[in-house]
Coordinates of all heavy atoms in Angstrom, one line a residue:
Chain B
M685 N 20.7 -26.6 27.1 CA 19.9 -27.9 26.8 C 19.1 -27.8 25.6 O 19.1 -28.6 24.8 CB 18.9 -28.0 28.0 CG 18.5 -29.5 28.2 SD 17.3 -29.6 29.5 CE 15.8 -29.2 28.6
M686 N 18.5 -26.6 25.4 CA 17.9 -26.5 24.0 C 18.6 -26.6 22.9 O 18.3 -27.3 21.9 CB 17.1 -25.1 24.0 CG 16.5 -24.8 22.7 SD 16.3 -23.0 22.6 CE 18.0 -22.5 22.0
I687 N 19.8 -26.0 22.9 CA 20.8 -26.2 21.7 C 21.3 -27.5 21.5 O 21.4 -28.0 20.5 CB 21.9 -25.0 21.9 CG1 21.3 -23.7 21.6 CG2 23.0 -25.3 20.9 CD1 22.3 -22.5 22.0
E688 N 21.5 -28.2 22.6 CA 22.1 -29.5 22.5 C 21.2 -30.6 22.1 O 21.7 -31.7 21.6 CB 23.0 -29.8 23.9 CG 24.2 -29.1 23.9 CD 25.0 -29.1 25.1 OE1 24.5 -29.9 26.0 OE2 26.0 -28.6 25.2
M689 N 19.9 -30.3 22.1 CA 18.9 -31.2 21.6 C 19.2 -31.5 20.1 O 18.7 -32.4 19.6 CB 17.5 -30.7 21.8 CG 17.1 -31.0 23.4 SD 15.6 -30.3 23.8 CE 14.4 -31.4 23.0
D690 N 19.9 -30.5 19.4 CA 20.1 -30.6 18.0 C 21.4 -31.2 17.7 O 22.1 -31.0 16.6 CB 19.9 -29.3 17.3 CG 18.5 -28.9 17.2 OD1 17.6 -29.7 17.1 OD2 18.2 -27.7 17.2
Q691 N 22.0 -31.9 18.6 CA 23.4 -32.4 18.6 C 23.6 -33.1 17.3 O 24.7 -33.0 16.7 CB 23.8 -33.2 19.9 CG 25.2 -33.7 19.8 CD 26.2 -32.4 20.0 OE1 25.8 -31.5 20.8 NE2 27.2 -32.3 19.2
K692 N 22.7 -33.9 16.8 CA 22.8 -34.8 15.5 C 23.2 -33.7 14.4 O 24.0 -34.1 13.4 CB 21.6 -35.5 15.2 CG 21.5 -36.8 16.0 CD 20.3 -37.6 15.5 CE 20.1 -38.7 16.5 NZ 18.7 -39.2 16.4
K693 N 22.5 -32.6 14.3 CA 22.7 -31.7 13.3 C 24.2 -31.3 13.3 O 24.8 -31.1 12.2 CB 21.8 -30.4 13.5 CG 20.7 -30.3 12.5 CD 19.7 -29.2 12.8 CE 20.3 -27.9 13.3 NZ 19.3 -26.9 13.6
Y694 N 24.7 -30.8 14.5 CA 26.1 -30.4 14.6 C 27.1 -31.6 14.3 O 28.0 -31.2 13.7 CB 26.4 -29.9 16.0 CG 25.2 -29.0 16.6 CD1 24.7 -29.2 17.9 CD2 24.5 -28.0 15.9 CE1 23.8 -28.5 18.5 CE2 23.6 -27.2 16.4 CZ 23.2 -27.4 17.6 OH 22.2 -26.7 18.1
D695 N 26.6 -32.8 14.5 CA 27.6 -33.8 14.3 C 27.7 -33.9 12.7 O 28.7 -34.3 12.2 CB 27.1 -35.1 14.7 CG 27.1 -35.2 16.3 OD1 28.0 -34.3 16.8 OD2 26.5 -36.0 16.9
R696 N 26.7 -33.4 12.0 CA 26.6 -33.5 10.6 C 27.4 -32.3 10.0 O 27.4 -32.0 8.8 CB 25.3 -33.6 9.9 CG 24.7 -35.0 10.2 CD 23.5 -35.2 9.2 NE 22.4 -34.2 9.5 CZ 21.4 -34.4 10.3 NH1 21.3 -35.5 10.9 NH2 20.5 -33.4 10.5
G697 N 27.9 -31.4 10.9 CA 28.6 -30.3 10.4 C 27.9 -28.9 10.5 O 28.4 -27.9 10.0
A698 N 26.6 -28.9 11.0 CA 25.9 -27.7 11.2 C 26.5 -26.8 12.2 O 27.2 -27.2 13.1 CB 24.4 -28.0 11.4
W699 N 26.3 -25.5 12.0 CA 26.8 -24.5 13.1 C 26.1 -24.8 14.5 O 24.9 -24.8 14.5 CB 26.5 -23.1 12.5 CG 26.8 -22.1 13.6 CD1 25.8 -21.4 14.3 CD2 28.0 -21.4 13.9 NE1 26.4 -20.4 15.0 CE2 27.8 -20.4 14.9 CE3 29.3 -21.8 13.4 CZ2 28.7 -19.7 15.4 CZ3 30.4 -21.0 14.0 CH2 30.1 -20.0 14.9
K700 N 26.9 -24.8 15.5 CA 26.3 -25.0 16.8 C 26.4 -23.7 17.4 O 27.4 -23.0 17.7 CB 27.2 -25.9 17.6 CG 26.5 -26.2 19.0 CD 27.3 -27.2 19.7 CE 26.6 -27.5 21.1 NZ 27.4 -28.5 21.9
P701 N 25.2 -23.0 17.7 CA 25.2 -21.7 18.3 C 25.9 -21.5 19.7 O 25.6 -22.3 20.5 CB 23.7 -21.5 18.5 CG 22.9 -22.3 17.6 CD 23.9 -23.6 17.5
P702 N 27.0 -20.7 19.9 CA 27.4 -20.5 21.1 C 26.6 -19.6 22.1 O 25.8 -18.8 21.5 CB 28.8 -19.8 20.8 CG 28.5 -19.0 19.5 CD 27.6 -19.9 18.8
I703 N 26.8 -19.8 23.3 CA 26.0 -19.0 24.2 C 27.1 -18.2 25.0 O 28.1 -18.7 25.6 CB 25.2 -19.7 25.3 CG1 24.4 -20.9 24.6 CG2 24.3 -18.9 26.1 CD1 23.9 -21.9 25.5
L704 N 27.0 -16.9 25.1 CA 28.0 -16.2 25.7 C 27.3 -15.2 26.8 O 26.2 -14.7 26.6 CB 28.7 -15.0 24.8 CG 29.7 -15.7 24.0 CD1 29.2 -16.4 22.8 CD2 30.7 -14.5 23.4
K705 N 27.9 -15.1 28.0 CA 27.6 -14.2 29.1 C 28.2 -12.8 28.8 O 29.4 -12.8 28.7 CB 27.9 -14.7 30.4 CG 27.3 -16.0 30.9 CD 27.7 -16.4 32.2 CE 27.1 -17.8 32.6 NZ 27.7 -18.1 34.0
I706 N 27.4 -11.8 28.6 CA 28.0 -10.4 28.6 C 27.5 -9.5 29.5 O 26.3 -9.6 30.1 CB 27.9 -10.0 27.1 CG1 26.4 -9.8 26.8 CG2 28.5 -10.9 26.0 CD1 26.2 -8.8 25.6
Q707 N 28.1 -8.3 29.6 CA 27.5 -7.1 30.2 C 27.7 -5.9 29.4 O 28.8 -5.4 29.4 CB 28.1 -6.9 31.6 CG 27.6 -7.9 32.7 CD 28.4 -7.8 34.0 OE1 29.4 -8.5 34.2 NE2 28.1 -6.7 34.7
A708 N 26.9 -5.7 28.4 CA 27.1 -4.8 27.3 C 27.4 -3.4 27.8 O 28.4 -2.8 27.4 CB 26.0 -4.8 26.3
V709 N 26.8 -3.0 28.8 CA 26.9 -1.6 29.3 C 28.4 -1.3 29.9 O 28.9 -0.3 29.7 CB 25.8 -1.2 30.4 CG1 26.1 -1.9 31.7 CG2 25.7 0.2 30.4
F710 N 29.0 -2.4 30.4 CA 30.3 -2.3 30.9 C 31.4 -2.8 29.8 O 32.6 -3.0 30.0 CB 30.6 -3.0 32.2 CG 29.7 -2.6 33.2 CD1 28.8 -3.5 33.8 CD2 29.7 -1.3 33.7 CE1 27.9 -3.0 34.9 CE2 28.8 -0.8 34.7 CZ 28.0 -1.8 35.3
D711 N 30.9 -3.2 28.6 CA 31.7 -3.7 27.6 C 32.4 -5.0 27.9 O 33.4 -5.4 27.3 CB 32.8 -2.6 27.0 CG 33.4 -3.0 25.8 OD1 32.8 -3.6 25.0 OD2 34.6 -2.4 25.5
K712 N 31.7 -5.8 28.7 CA 32.4 -7.0 29.2 C 31.7 -8.2 28.2 O 30.5 -8.4 28.1 CB 31.9 -7.4 30.6 CG 32.8 -6.8 31.6 CD 32.5 -7.4 33.0 CE 33.3 -6.6 34.1 NZ 32.7 -6.9 35.5
G713 N 32.7 -8.9 27.7 CA 32.3 -10.0 26.7 C 32.0 -9.6 25.3 O 31.8 -10.6 24.5
V714 N 32.0 -8.3 25.1 CA 31.6 -7.9 23.7 C 32.7 -8.2 22.7 O 32.4 -8.7 21.5 CB 31.3 -6.4 23.6 CG1 30.9 -6.0 22.1 CG2 30.2 -6.0 24.6
A715 N 34.0 -8.1 23.0 CA 35.0 -8.5 22.1 C 35.0 -10.0 21.7 O 35.2 -10.3 20.6 CB 36.4 -8.1 22.6
E716 N 34.8 -10.8 22.7 CA 34.7 -12.2 22.5 C 33.4 -12.5 21.6 O 33.6 -13.4 20.8 CB 34.4 -13.0 23.8 CG 35.8 -13.0 24.8 CD 35.9 -11.6 25.6 OE1 35.0 -10.7 25.3 OE2 36.7 -11.5 26.3
F717 N 32.4 -11.8 21.9 CA 31.2 -12.0 20.9 C 31.5 -11.7 19.4 O 31.1 -12.3 18.6 CB 30.0 -11.0 21.5 CG 29.0 -10.7 20.7 CD1 28.3 -11.7 19.9 CD2 28.5 -9.5 20.5 CE1 27.3 -11.5 19.0 CE2 27.6 -9.1 19.6 CZ 26.9 -10.1 18.9
I718 N 32.3 -10.5 19.2 CA 32.6 -10.2 17.8 C 33.4 -11.3 17.2 O 33.4 -11.6 16.0 CB 33.4 -8.8 17.8 CG1 32.6 -7.7 18.5 CG2 33.7 -8.4 16.4 CD1 31.7 -6.9 17.8
D719 N 34.3 -12.0 18.1 CA 35.1 -13.0 17.6 C 34.2 -14.2 17.1 O 34.5 -14.9 16.1 CB 36.2 -13.6 18.6 CG 37.3 -12.5 18.9 OD1 37.5 -11.7 18.1 OD2 37.9 -12.7 20.0
E720 N 33.2 -14.4 17.9 CA 32.1 -15.5 17.5 C 31.6 -15.2 16.2 O 31.1 -16.0 15.3 CB 31.1 -15.7 18.6 CG 31.6 -16.2 19.8 CD 32.2 -17.8 19.6 OE1 31.7 -18.5 18.7 OE2 33.1 -18.2 20.5
I721 N 31.3 -13.9 15.9 CA 30.6 -13.5 14.6 C 31.6 -13.8 13.6 O 31.1 -14.4 12.5 CB 30.4 -12.0 14.7 CG1 29.2 -11.6 15.6 CG2 29.9 -11.5 13.2 CD1 28.9 -10.2 15.8
D722 N 32.9 -13.5 13.7 CA 33.9 -13.9 12.8 C 33.9 -15.3 12.4 O 34.0 -15.8 11.3 CB 35.3 -13.5 13.2 CG 35.6 -12.0 13.2 OD1 34.6 -11.3 12.6 OD2 36.5 -11.5 13.7
K723 N 33.8 -16.2 13.5 CA 33.7 -17.6 13.3 C 32.6 -17.9 12.5 O 32.7 -18.9 11.6 CB 33.7 -18.3 14.7 CG 35.1 -18.5 15.3 CD 35.0 -19.4 16.5 CE 35.9 -18.9 17.6 NZ 35.5 -19.5 18.9
H724 N 31.3 -17.4 12.9 CA 30.3 -17.8 12.0 C 30.3 -17.4 10.7 O 29.8 -18.1 9.8 CB 29.0 -17.2 12.7 CG 27.7 -17.5 12.1 ND1 26.8 -16.7 11.6 CD2 27.1 -18.8 11.9 CE1 25.8 -17.4 11.1 NE2 26.0 -18.6 11.3
A725 N 30.9 -16.3 10.4 CA 31.2 -15.8 9.0 C 32.0 -16.7 8.2 O 31.8 -17.1 7.1 CB 31.8 -14.3 9.0
R726 N 33.1 -17.3 8.9 CA 33.9 -18.3 8.2 C 33.1 -19.5 7.9 O 33.4 -20.0 6.9 CB 35.2 -18.5 9.1 CG 36.2 -17.5 9.0 CD 37.6 -18.0 9.4 NE 37.7 -18.2 10.8 CZ 37.8 -17.4 11.9 NH1 37.9 -16.1 11.6 NH2 37.7 -17.7 13.1
Y727 N 32.3 -19.8 8.9 CA 31.6 -21.0 8.7 C 30.7 -20.9 7.4 O 30.5 -21.8 6.6 CB 30.7 -21.4 10.0 CG 29.5 -22.3 9.7 CD1 29.7 -23.7 9.6 CD2 28.3 -21.7 9.5 CE1 28.5 -24.5 9.4 CE2 27.2 -22.6 9.2 CZ 27.3 -23.9 9.1 OH 26.2 -24.8 8.9
L728 N 30.0 -19.7 7.4 CA 29.1 -19.5 6.2 C 29.8 -19.5 5.0 O 29.5 -20.1 3.9 CB 28.4 -18.1 6.3 CG 27.4 -18.0 7.4 CD1 26.8 -16.7 7.4 CD2 26.2 -19.0 7.2
A729 N 31.1 -18.8 4.9 CA 31.9 -18.8 3.7 C 32.4 -20.1 3.3 O 32.4 -20.5 2.1 CB 33.0 -17.8 3.9
D730 N 32.8 -20.9 4.2 CA 33.5 -22.2 3.9 C 32.6 -23.3 3.6 O 32.7 -24.1 2.6 CB 34.4 -22.6 5.1 CG 35.6 -21.6 5.2 OD1 35.8 -20.9 4.3 OD2 36.2 -21.6 6.4

Side-chain angles (χ1 to χ4, degrees):
Chain B
M685 205 185 79
M686 173 202 77
I687 287 167
E688 283 175 358
M689 281 170 82
D690 287 327
Q691 190 58 46
K692 276 186 193 151
K693 249 173 40 184
Y694 315 134
D695 292 342
R696 290 196 300 267
W699 171 259
K700 183 174 180 181
I703 314 163
L704 280 78
K705 295 181 184 177
I706 65 162
Q707 285 171 261
V709 74
F710 304 119
D711 195 25
K712 277 191 189 165
V714 180
E716 292 79 356
F717 159 53
I718 307 267
D719 291 340
E720 290 296 331
I721 294 173
D722 286 347
K723 273 189 218 162
H724 186 238
R726 278 200 297 278
Y727 161 81
L728 290 179
D730 297 343

